Amino acid sequence: MDSDSVFASVVRAPEDPILGVTVAYNKDTSPNKLNLGVGAYRTEEGKPLVLNVVRKAEQHLVNDQSQIKEYLPIVGLADFNKLSAKLIFGADSPAIQQNRVTTVQCLSGTGSLRVGAEFLARHYHQLTIYIPTPTWGNHPKIFNLAGLSVKTYRYYDPATRGLNFQGLLEDLGAAPSGAIVLLHACAHNPTGVDPTLEQWEQIRQLMRSKGLLPFFDSAYQGFASGNLDADAQPVRTFVADGGECLAAQSYAKNMGLYGERVGALSIVCKTQDVASRVESQLKLVIRPMYSNPPIHGASIVATILKDGNMYNEWTVELKAMADRIISMRQQLYDALSAKGTPGDWSHIIKQIGMFTFTGLNSEQVVFMTKEYHIYMTSDGRISMAGLSSKTVPHLTDAIHAAVTRFG
Ligand code: KET
């Protein structure tokens, strides 16, 4: 009997708004089903992709008898941390040269955000973090659980399907001095809308003038433009001014290491001494949480970043993924235009990164899932990486039917 259980009063929690889409997809028996929910890259054949360069690095690790399975230090693999900081801040970053960056290996992007948030909650004077509307659904939960108070700033304008730059400046301008601001480093999720470099510069000036603390979430470096350096440019301009910031990096998407849970948190400080004290406190955050991070994924990343040839191979494979996504945008846009689907769909080719924020409403999404077995998040976000030339017509039919029926 249920009532005998000491947990009898536990109520069922809803599925996660993003990962729950995959749960529902897996239960669907239709041969035409299509998962455009989670942001995970698929090939033209609809299959998950392990990069060749990752296989090569793994082979290298297996053959290397000096590779051991001892615990890593609390902060993770030293090489991985150094190389990760270089990847995001640039090899010639003065902050790195001056040793005022501390980098700790964390459990992918999510874990990096969480560790950074826990550190801020313990040691930073202003406990309010501003996140964009909309944003990745896990952001408010991560920051709330860490003890920060979450507020929002305007970001996306549904009318233009572009950036609400004026609203963004107004809201950050009205934020209390010292507040933390979560910024998507590139390829904003879910909107696919990024500020231009000129707009970033204005955001930077405003934030610095008010002493707002930037916390970058970099989950898609390389996926926006196909170029790792170009995608890191906004972050680098914030570091170049000598000010402080945090950055959470994920290798889930750009190296396809989703399940390896490999990422890094960097905190750029004013001086080397501050950075080393910050690191000592990060260790106190991490040790009781998960003790120390896993070794395999970080070793793969370090192997690739360390070796010139492998690094180049990676950039080629990364560019190929980014290009395939861009070509999916064009194909979907062309197909909707050819079909004469009502509405302006040019945002599909204007937005960047893994997702298109279609503008479809939740009623239309429910309809597409029920009638066409197409799975996506209820906010109308579709993962372009889950699409292929073969499935574009099916998606086009579904969107056409949805907007015609519920326009
Ligand atoms: N930040 C952003 C903006 C983000 O989209 C994700 C993942 C993460 C961080 C964390 O990724 P990690 O695997 O912890 O490195 N987003 C996709 C997957 C998810 O929701 O977990 C998604 O939006 O589909």
Side-chain angles (χ1 to χ4, degrees):
M1 280 260 289
D2 259 17
S3 56
D4 288 343
S5 170
V6 294
F7 303 116
S9 61
V10 172
V11 291
R12 182 172 310 282
E15 288 283 0
D16 182 80
I18 297 175
L19 301 183
V21 173
T22 303
V23 175
Y25 168 84
N26 287 338
K27 286 186 193 148
D28 190 326
T29 53
S30 163
N32 295 325
K33 66 179 178 174
L34 183 58
N35 187 2
L36 305 178
V38 69
Y41 186 80
R42 300 283 179 268
T43 62
E44 257 296 297
E45 292 70 46
K47 297 261 161 23
L49 178 69
V50 179
L51 300 186
N52 281 326
V53 70
V54 165
R55 293 271 192 229
K56 201 180 271 187
E58 285 188 312
Q59 213 42 263
H60 175 89
L61 291 168
V62 167
N63 294 335
D64 179 356
Q65 291 301 315
S66 73
Q67 287 292 323
I68 49 166
K69 301 289 185 191
E70 272 289 317
Y71 291 129
L72 283 177
I74 296 171
V75 296
L77 192 67
D79 272 357
F80 167 85
N81 289 337
K82 275 202 205 85
L83 293 159
S84 293
K86 268 196 190 170
L87 184 69
I88 187 160
F89 300 126
D92 54 0
S93 165
I96 295 178
Q97 280 156 10
Q98 294 155 9
N99 291 316
R100 39 187 195 83
V101 183
T102 169
T103 305
V104 295
Q105 181 194 331
C106 296
L107 303 183
S108 213
T110 307
S112 306
L113 290 164
R114 180 64 189 263
V115 168
E118 296 274 345
F119 168 80
L120 291 169
R122 285 191 203 178
H123 299 286
Y124 189 58
H125 64 92
Q126 170 48 273
L127 297 185
T128 305
I129 184 163
Y130 282 73
I131 61 174
T133 34
T135 192
W136 180 47
N138 217 12
H139 279 148
K141 299 173 195 172
I142 291 170
F143 298 127
N144 272 322
L145 278 172
L148 298 175
S149 127
V150 176
K151 295 224 163 84
T152 58
Y153 63 89
R154 279 170 286 172
Y155 188 84
Y156 179 77
D157 183 354
T160 63
R161 295 199 173 123
L163 185 67
N164 181 354
F165 191 52
Q166 206 48 45
L168 178 153
L169 292 179
E170 280 170 27
D171 291 349
L172 294 188
S177 135
I180 309 155
V181 179
L182 188 281
L183 300 161
H184 293 231
C186 70
H188 182 274
N189 176 10
T191 67
V193 173
D194 283 355
T196 63
L197 281 180
E198 291 72 34
Q199 289 170 330
W200 272 116
E201 177 54 20
Q202 283 188 60
I203 296 169
R204 188 191 66 76
Q205 284 175 15
L206 172 69
M207 286 183 58
R208 291 312 194 195
S209 74
K210 296 203 55 174
L212 302 175
L213 182 65
F215 193 160
F216 285 99
D217 181 353
S218 179
Y220 299 94
Q221 190 181 350
F223 257 98
S225 68
N227 181 297
L228 287 157
D229 290 313
D231 286 357
Q233 207 45 48
V235 177
R236 291 178 189 177
T237 58
F238 275 78
V239 177
D241 69 12
E244 300 178 296
C245 70
L246 291 83
Q249 277 169 278
S250 168
Y251 290 97
K253 330 274 169 159
N254 60 10
M255 250 186 226
L257 292 175
Y258 306 88
E260 294 290 354
R261 312 306 297 146
V262 51
L265 170 74
S266 286
I267 306 189
V268 179
C269 306
K270 283 274 182 188
T271 68
Q272 177 171 4
D273 185 50
V274 174
S276 84
R277 281 184 276 133
V278 165
E279 179 163 316
S280 71
Q281 289 294 340
L282 287 173
K283 287 158 78 172
L284 297 193
V285 172
I286 292 166
R287 171 65 165 148
M289 215 191 268
Y290 55 88
S291 194
N292 50 71
I295 197 166
H296 186 66
S299 303
I300 295 171
V301 173
T303 303
I304 293 170
L305 295 184
K306 202 160 19 184
D307 180 287
N309 289 332
M310 284 202 218
Y311 183 91
N312 289 336
E313 228 180 296
W314 174 43
T315 61
V316 172
E317 289 189 83
L318 176 57
K319 175 89 169 47
M321 290 193 284
D323 284 348
R324 199 185 83 72
I325 293 173
I326 291 167
S327 115
M328 282 306 117
R329 290 185 181 284
Q330 193 63 49
Q331 288 185 34
L332 179 60
Y333 174 74
D334 291 346
L336 287 165
S337 304
K339 210 174 167 75
T341 303
D344 176 3
W345 297 96
S346 59
H347 56 289
I348 295 177
I349 43 180
K350 284 186 206 139
Q351 295 173 355
I352 55 172
M354 245 183 186
F355 306 108
T356 292
F357 206 44
T358 58
L360 295 165
N361 62 36
S362 57
E363 195 181 20
Q364 291 166 328
V365 171
V366 168
F367 168 81
M368 286 169 60
T369 304
K370 195 160 164 273
E371 301 296 326
Y372 289 82
H373 305 273
I374 293 175
Y375 289 79
M376 57 205 277
T377 53
S378 62
D379 58 1
R381 183 192 86 166
I382 56 178
S383 173
M384 298 308 285
L387 204 56
S388 67
S389 306
K390 225 174 45 214
T391 52
V392 163
H394 183 53
L395 176 61
T396 306
D397 290 348
I399 293 178
H400 189 92
V403 300
T404 316
R405 168 109 47 131
F406 303 100

